[in-house]
Amino acid sequence: MSEATAKPVDEPRTLGGFPSPPATTPQGEAGLRPGGGRLAPEPVRVGAVGMWAFLATDAMGFAGLFIAYGVLRVGADAWPEPGPHLALRPAAAMTFALLVSSLTMALASGAPSRRARLAWLFLTVALGSAFLAAAGVEYADLAAAGLGFSSSLPVSMFYALTGYHALHVLAGIVMLVFMLGGRVSRRTLKVASLYWHFVDLAWMPIFTFVYLLPPS
Amino acid sequence: MNGDANPQAVRSAPSPLWPSPLWPSPLLPFLALVGLTAGELVVATTAGERAARIAGLSCLLLAKVAAVLIWLMGARNSRKGARLVAVALVLAVGFAAVLMADTAARARHG
């Protein structure tokens, strides 16, 4: 029999020229449990680690702004009191809104039914939107007082810090609105909730540094 | 028994909603965060020595960050992710401390 007519040998299936990986899971070889049963792959772990990696890089962005804020504030001869234009009560209300939204997001990711999940998600979106609206009112007050982005160093830092955070809140709201519209698994929601809790986390030092620290 | 196991035995790993039975619902960390924030407001509005107030606010901030990381984001369960964020934050805080000390020293000595 010539080579041309030889029966093709069964080749192992490949993926893009590379051999397919064995079906393994984080728990053990070939997806086996110690007791013998097989485990399905865990997409949530991959998604969660990816989200954590993204959040770590994003934390660096916030850290850069906080470092700039700290260095400028320590080096300044005097740092103005936030009082007249950045009132504490609205800022505390914004903080409370974000804290409640973290709670509703956690409840959404653990909700037993789709209906409950959508209700908690909707509340989260509403609270995030309220936070953005309050930030908008704050910006409008500052602008009305003639304090623009380039008015002074403290005001510029305020706009940079809070604006960067507000963009994150906006991105989170867009993500959640997409989730409201489609069918989303609980695991996907859990990964998404990591981002939302991080947005809450990032606001905490902003609240402390900008609104609470006593002026020098 | 190996890969030919009964398909009914194929199932997902258990995925607990909350990392610890000590915290059965997100309500408890939420209440803790609200309490810590109220503490911050009290420290910020109370007259006192500036350094003590800054120290108090820093401690409360760290407690809040830890509460969110551990109880809400489940950092104890995703150790890889928590390590990534921890390394990023420690590097950033260390860098900030060095820069601020340098700035303060320059400001003092002209």
Side-chain angles (χ1 to χ4, degrees):
Chain A
M1 192 181 282
S2 69
E3 274 186 31
T5 57
K7 194 176 174 184
V9 180
D10 278 347
E11 293 281 337
R13 292 177 72 185
T14 59
L15 185 67
F18 294 96
S20 301
T24 55
T25 69
Q27 279 72 33
E29 198 180 325
L32 289 177
R33 288 162 63 95
R38 285 174 76 187
L39 282 172
E42 287 187 273
V44 69
R45 295 223 169 167
V46 176
V49 170
M51 179 55 87
W52 276 105
F54 165 71
L55 294 181
T57 54
D58 208 22
M60 289 288 197
F62 275 105
L65 282 173
F66 288 132
I67 288 169
Y69 182 85
V71 167
L72 290 172
R73 187 165 175 161
V74 168
D77 292 332
W79 198 263
E81 201 168 349
H85 301 295
L86 303 175
L88 191 54
R89 276 189 189 177
M94 288 163 73
T95 306
F96 187 68
L98 268 192
L99 286 180
V100 178
S101 76
S102 257
L103 172 69
T104 54
M105 190 69 204
L107 289 170
S109 64
S113 68
R114 186 168 183 267
R115 200 177 203 184
R117 196 181 309 161
L118 288 180
W120 288 122
L121 266 185
F122 182 78
L123 257 179
T124 310
V125 170
L127 286 162
S129 305
F131 176 88
L132 279 187
V137 169
E138 208 169 39
Y139 288 173
D141 283 351
L142 282 175
L147 295 171
F149 190 84
S150 54
S151 295
S152 67
L153 204 54
V155 176
S156 300
M157 277 315 299
F158 167 80
Y159 278 121
L161 269 174
T162 56
Y164 189 60
H165 179 264
L167 282 177
H168 279 74
V169 177
L170 184 63
I173 288 173
V174 170
M175 175 184 72
L176 294 183
V177 166
F178 272 108
M179 289 186 160
L180 273 173
R183 289 182 72 87
V184 180
S185 72
R186 206 161 114 182
R187 293 183 168 207
T188 307
L189 206 54
K190 270 186 157 181
V191 174
S193 73
L194 282 177
Y195 176 82
W196 194 261
H197 293 316
F198 175 76
V199 167
D200 189 11
L201 185 82
W203 174 252
M204 290 170 180
I206 296 177
F207 180 59
T208 302
F209 294 155
V210 173
Y211 296 92
L212 298 181
L213 275 189
S216 51
Chain B
M1 298 294 284
N2 49 26
D4 299 319
N6 183 354
Q8 284 185 342
V10 177
R11 59 179 182 267
S12 300
S15 167
L17 273 183
W18 306 107
S20 159
L22 287 174
W23 297 88
S25 90
L27 196 61
L28 289 174
F30 166 73
L31 290 177
L33 286 169
V34 170
L36 289 168
T37 307
E40 280 184 328
L41 290 172
V42 169
V43 171
T45 51
T46 307
E49 199 185 333
R50 187 169 178 269
R53 283 164 68 195
I54 290 176
L57 287 172
S58 305
C59 289
L60 287 166
L61 172 63
L62 285 178
K64 282 171 74 178
V65 168
V68 172
L69 275 174
I70 294 170
W71 306 120
L72 287 177
M73 297 178 79
R76 284 193 305 176
N77 281 5
S78 7
R79 293 194 177 171
K80 272 185 196 169
R83 258 185 238 144
L84 277 171
V85 174
V87 167
L89 291 179
V90 166
L91 281 176
V93 169
F95 187 51
V98 170
L99 279 180
M100 280 184 232
D102 177 60
T103 310
R106 281 170 198 262
R108 246 180 236 154
H109 302 296

